[in-house]
Amino acid sequence: MASRADNLASNLSLANFSKATELKNRIWFTIGALIVFRFLSFVPLPGVNPLVLQDLYDTARGGILDLFNTFSGGSLERMSLIALGVMPYITASIVVQLAASLHPALAAMKKEGASGRQKLNQYTRYGTVFLCAIQGWFLASGLEAYAAQSGLQAVVQPGVMFRVGAVVSLVGGTMFLLWLGEQITSRGIGNGVSLIIMAGIVAQFPSFAANMFEGGRSGAISPVIIVGFFAMVIILILFICFMERAQRRLLIQYPKRATQRGMMQADRSHLPLKLNTAGVIPPIFASSLLLLPLTISQFAGNQVDTDSAWGSTIVWLNQYLAHGQPIYMALYAAGIIFFCFFYTAVVFNPEETSENLKKNGGFIPGIRPGKRTAEYLDYVLTRITVIGAIYLTLVCVIPEYMIAQTGIPLFLGGTSLLIVVNVTVDTITQIQSHLLAHQYGDLIKKAKLKGRMR
């Protein structure tokens, strides 16, 4: 059954869109910021030869590099200033949120409100700079090692100065992306970081479609596989849209109050609990945690002694944790399930919700207010989170397995598809919210004008 908000949003007239000046300005600002992001993905690092980078990347193509390249919007294969994308920030935010849940001092800081969140955000930025520096150093070192092995001199002047310059450039590029994401969030539409990730994924679609159809024309890919793959994508999009809108609505009843006619009336409302409360965060967190060690090991594996213990460990990581391997799939699924429960516990607090209901006089029929309500909310939320975790695991793991088995280039994997659909739905919802606010504003203005005329 649709809610009142859904019914009202469905009745919105797009004719009001031309009158919503603020909404149009926000949309144009978002488009402009994403264009700047795409331009930056074509600016190469200082000290590299962009003409050799494509041939060099083709020799190292496959597995985790393709996944990293997808999330960065093709910036990795061009070795641009934003080759690392926003993944270091996401990894740092995971660490900070885990620490805030385990460390008492950080947990108390989190409860301080806006000032506490600002401090935690600052710690996240420090962690982002640290991770960017580590990943940038290994990226520059791996670039030199790949060039030495293949004979393609992509680095003009290899050495310490090139690595330092690459690290500084990569750190600056990632921090600029974070600033750009904040500007999109405050002055544009939607979550800026999510929109940047989605724009990078969508930008890869033309080359993906061209490569797939070229493979079908040359006979490298069976036409049945191509048709089946696109059919699977359409079915997954419909399934994701259905599951993301699925809710468990708990009836909330308020005490009876006297109306103007002297009658006693009890108010009722619903507490909506989404089936997937964590949203797209679990697959992003799980993939970013797998990207960090695998990227370092893959770039470091070309310059270590394979006879040593460290070298054999690097080789083992590259072999058994590669994309499509059973261990990689198992760790990926376990990470998604863990972050489903973890992030749900972060964004929804049953004790706080029950206290707010008790203060406002609301209660769930048949459940006592206070502690019993909190236990009931936790009971319901845990069980629907199990369904949500299974749904996310199936959507993300099954397409990745099929891509690994069929050899189709990694683009529309489960994680990428989930990010694109979720961010698109959230953006459309925010546009509807702005149109709804504009419609209410027009109604208020008309009511004031009628009042003056009287």
Side-chain angles (χ1 to χ4, degrees):
M1 183 177 179
S3 63
R4 294 180 181 178
D6 291 336
N7 291 331
L8 186 58
S10 62
N11 294 328
L12 284 175
S13 176
L14 292 179
N16 296 327
F17 183 80
S18 60
K19 303 176 183 179
T21 306
E22 182 185 359
L23 177 60
K24 289 192 294 183
N25 292 335
R26 287 179 173 271
I27 292 176
W28 282 116
F29 180 85
T30 303
I31 294 174
L34 294 179
I35 290 175
V36 172
F37 159 67
R38 291 305 302 159
F39 276 140
L40 281 177
S41 66
F42 290 91
V43 180
L45 285 174
V48 300
N49 187 354
L51 299 177
V52 185
L53 284 177
Q54 184 62 46
D55 295 334
L56 184 61
Y57 183 81
D58 289 338
T59 61
R61 184 181 297 274
I64 203 66
L65 283 182
D66 285 341
L67 184 61
F68 211 137
N69 188 56
T70 300
F71 281 123
S72 63
S75 301
L76 182 62
E77 63 177 313
R78 292 184 289 269
M79 207 57 65
S80 70
L81 295 175
I82 54 173
L84 296 179
V86 294
M87 283 304 168
Y89 170 75
I90 295 176
T91 306
S93 64
I94 296 172
V95 176
V96 172
Q97 289 186 11
L98 283 172
S101 301
L102 300 176
H103 197 275
L106 294 178
M109 187 183 300
K110 186 178 179 180
K111 297 179 181 179
E112 292 178 1
S115 61
R117 288 194 298 270
Q118 186 176 2
K119 292 179 182 178
L120 291 177
N121 190 24
Q122 194 69 21
Y123 293 155
T124 304
R125 293 182 178 275
Y126 292 150
T128 303
V129 173
F130 176 73
L131 291 177
C132 280
I134 295 178
Q135 289 183 339
W137 182 268
F138 279 100
L139 195 65
S141 303
L143 190 62
E144 294 178 351
Y146 275 127
Q149 277 191 346
S150 60
L152 300 174
Q153 191 64 30
V155 181
V156 179
Q157 291 183 347
V160 178
M161 292 305 298
F162 165 72
R163 298 181 186 182
V164 173
V167 168
V168 173
S169 301
L170 290 172
V171 170
T174 298
M175 299 310 292
F176 178 79
L177 283 186
L178 295 184
W179 177 82
L180 194 65
E182 288 183 353
Q183 298 303 311
I184 294 175
T185 302
S186 60
R187 302 173 60 183
I189 294 178
N191 189 339
V193 175
S194 299
L195 279 174
I196 287 175
I197 296 175
M198 187 198 74
I201 295 172
V202 173
Q204 298 290 96
F205 180 76
S207 60
F208 162 77
N211 292 334
M212 176 168 284
F213 287 121
E214 178 62 24
R217 188 187 66 83
S218 62
I221 302 177
S222 173
V224 178
I225 295 179
I226 296 177
V227 174
F229 185 80
F230 279 105
M232 180 194 70
V233 169
I234 295 174
I235 293 173
L236 280 177
I237 290 175
L238 296 176
F239 181 62
I240 290 172
C241 292
F242 174 78
M243 295 297 289
E244 290 299 324
R245 293 179 62 87
Q247 294 178 350
R248 168 72 187 275
R249 296 180 179 178
L250 299 179
L251 178 63
I252 304 296
Q253 190 167 348
Y254 293 91
K256 294 183 179 180
R257 59 183 179 87
T259 61
Q260 293 180 351
R261 298 180 180 179
M263 300 175 62
M264 301 298 292
Q265 181 180 359
D267 292 335
R268 289 186 175 185
S269 64
H270 291 86
L271 177 64
L273 298 178
K274 288 189 63 176
L275 191 66
N276 180 26
T277 308
V280 74
I281 297 298
I284 294 180
F285 278 12
S287 59
S288 62
L289 281 185
L290 285 175
L291 280 175
L292 177 61
L294 290 178
T295 305
I296 295 176
S297 65
Q298 187 155 356
F299 278 107
N302 295 276
Q303 53 184 352
V304 297
D305 184 12
T306 56
D307 295 333
S308 62
W310 169 250
S312 59
T313 303
I314 293 295
V315 172
W316 186 88
L317 286 174
N318 291 334
Q319 181 179 358
Y320 291 99
L321 291 184
H323 175 73
Q325 295 296 324
I327 298 179
Y328 172 84
M329 293 294 184
L331 291 177
Y332 187 38
I336 292 175
I337 295 173
F338 169 76
F339 283 114
C340 273
F341 286 93
F342 170 75
Y343 201 75
T344 300
V346 170
V347 299
F348 187 88
N349 190 346
E351 288 80 9
E352 183 179 352
T353 305
S354 64
E355 287 298 323
N356 292 334
L357 288 175
K358 187 177 180 180
K359 290 178 183 178
N360 295 323
F363 62 94
I364 300 175
I367 307 296
R368 289 185 178 181
K371 184 178 178 181
R372 292 291 300 169
T373 300
E375 292 176 353
Y376 179 73
L377 291 176
D378 183 69
Y379 171 84
V380 174
L381 192 64
T382 301
R383 276 147 184 80
I384 64 175
T385 304
V386 171
I387 302 176
I390 295 173
Y391 142 70
L392 282 181
T393 304
L394 293 177
V395 167
C396 294
V397 173
I398 291 180
E400 302 287 342
Y401 177 77
M402 293 181 64
I403 289 173
Q405 295 298 319
T406 57
I408 296 177
L410 179 64
F411 167 71
L412 281 178
T415 307
S416 303
L417 195 62
L418 190 67
I419 292 173
V420 171
V421 174
N422 270 276
V423 175
T424 303
V425 171
D426 290 341
T427 304
I428 293 175
T429 302
Q430 292 212 18
I431 292 175
Q432 287 181 342
S433 300
H434 283 284
L435 287 175
L436 186 62
H438 183 266
Q439 185 171 328
Y440 274 129
D442 288 344
L443 291 175
I444 293 173
K445 289 180 182 179
K446 291 179 181 179
K448 288 181 179 180
L449 288 176
K450 290 181 179 179
R452 289 178 183 177
M453 292 176 62
R454 292 177 182 175

